[in-house]
């Protein structure tokens, strides 16, 4: 039920019938992380009426820190299987409870940041750039290559929120930093 905060009776009956006929292995409820305490009512309603096996928590790339994650588990007893940290399919990631706890506490998510870096940065090119830095031959073109590698990891605001202590920086400040950073290639 995309975009709904509460299910109506007709829709719930359709979902029950679909589940009965299809017999799915998984029944995942998609919950918007920004719903806050309303998530408890939504999860309880769907779990009682349909029976969920887990959840997908979306919009974790926004200002929310993920308190809805605690609510989902507490109310349904079911795990969160995936989190959405952006609008594209690549932004759907496995859920790691310990990382979410760090995020909620404002301690960042360094492990996810390292994983993003490993997937986006060419190790050979990075080593070449390090050699140039050590030899004091690193130039503006090298700087642009390095900036491009980093931008392949995703938007600056999402990466910054994974760093410890960056939870206090506002979305506006992060957007401004990203805008200014984009000017280096102009």
């Amino acid at each position: 039920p995309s975009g709904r905060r509460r299910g109506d009776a007709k829709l719930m009956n359709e979902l029950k019938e679909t589940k009965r006929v299809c017999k799915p292995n998984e029944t995942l409820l998609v919950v918007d992380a920004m719903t806050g305490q309303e998530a408890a009512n939504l999860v309880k309603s769907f779990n009682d009426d349909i029976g969920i096996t887990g959840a997908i928590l979306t919009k974790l790339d926004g200002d929310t820190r993920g308190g809805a994650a605690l609510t989902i588990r507490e109310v349904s007893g079911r795990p969160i299987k995936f989190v959405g940290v952006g609008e594209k399919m690549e932004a759907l990631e496995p859920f790691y409870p310990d990382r979410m706890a760090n995020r909620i506490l404002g301690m960042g998510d360094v492990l996810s940041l390292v994983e993003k870096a490993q997937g986006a940065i060419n190790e050979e090119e990075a080593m070449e750039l390090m050699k140039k830095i050590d030899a004091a031959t690193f130039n503006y073109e090298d700087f642009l290559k390095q900036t491009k590698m980093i931008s392949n990891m995703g938007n600056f605001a999402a990466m910054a929120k994974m760093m410890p202590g960056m939870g206090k920086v506002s979305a506006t400040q992060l957007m401004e930093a990203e805008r200014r950073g984009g000017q280096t290639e102009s």
Side-chain angles (χ1 to χ4, degrees):
S2 175
R4 295 177 190 266
R5 301 230 171 160
R6 287 200 177 108
D8 59 45
K10 182 179 176 186
L11 178 62
M12 290 300 207
N13 288 332
E14 284 180 34
L15 289 170
K16 284 181 200 175
E17 183 62 16
T18 301
K19 184 176 179 182
R20 187 189 67 75
V21 170
C22 296
K23 296 178 179 55
N25 292 329
E26 295 273 4
T27 305
L28 302 176
L29 175 63
V30 178
V31 179
D32 181 333
M34 298 178 82
T35 57
Q37 288 304 307
E38 180 63 24
N41 297 332
L42 176 73
V43 171
K44 181 167 180 17
S45 170
F46 272 79
N47 194 42
D48 290 351
D49 290 349
I50 307 301
I52 62 173
T53 58
I56 298 173
L57 190 60
T58 64
K59 294 188 183 172
L60 282 175
D61 56 328
D63 288 337
T64 182
R65 284 200 265 172
L70 299 173
T71 301
I72 292 168
R73 181 67 182 191
E74 181 64 27
V75 170
S76 71
R78 304 290 186 230
I80 296 170
K81 305 241 179 167
F82 298 96
V83 292
V85 293
E87 295 180 5
K88 297 180 182 172
M89 282 301 292
E90 302 86 53
L92 193 61
E93 301 175 349
F95 175 72
Y96 300 104
D98 55 334
R99 296 179 189 186
M100 179 59 64
N102 285 342
R103 181 184 176 130
I104 291 169
L105 295 172
M107 297 168 57
D109 183 357
V110 177
L111 288 175
S112 293
L113 184 59
V114 168
E115 286 173 359
K116 279 187 177 287
Q118 288 172 335
I121 295 176
N122 178 318
E123 195 171 337
E124 259 181 48
E125 283 184 45
M127 292 305 291
E128 284 299 315
L129 290 172
M130 286 302 297
K131 287 178 187 174
K132 286 185 171 194
I133 290 170
D134 288 344
T137 59
F138 187 81
N139 62 29
Y140 185 68
E141 290 299 317
D142 297 324
F143 171 75
L144 290 179
K145 276 186 196 175
Q146 189 175 35
T147 303
K148 184 73 171 160
M149 275 193 270
I150 292 169
S151 71
N152 288 338
M153 291 171 56
N155 76 35
F156 179 75
M159 285 189 301
K161 287 182 180 179
M162 292 180 194
M163 295 179 211
M166 292 298 287
K168 295 180 177 122
V169 178
S170 74
T172 305
Q173 290 170 314
L174 290 171
M175 285 173 33
E176 178 61 19
E178 188 164 14
R179 185 188 66 76
R180 286 184 180 179
Q183 293 174 350
T184 59
E185 293 185 39
S186 301

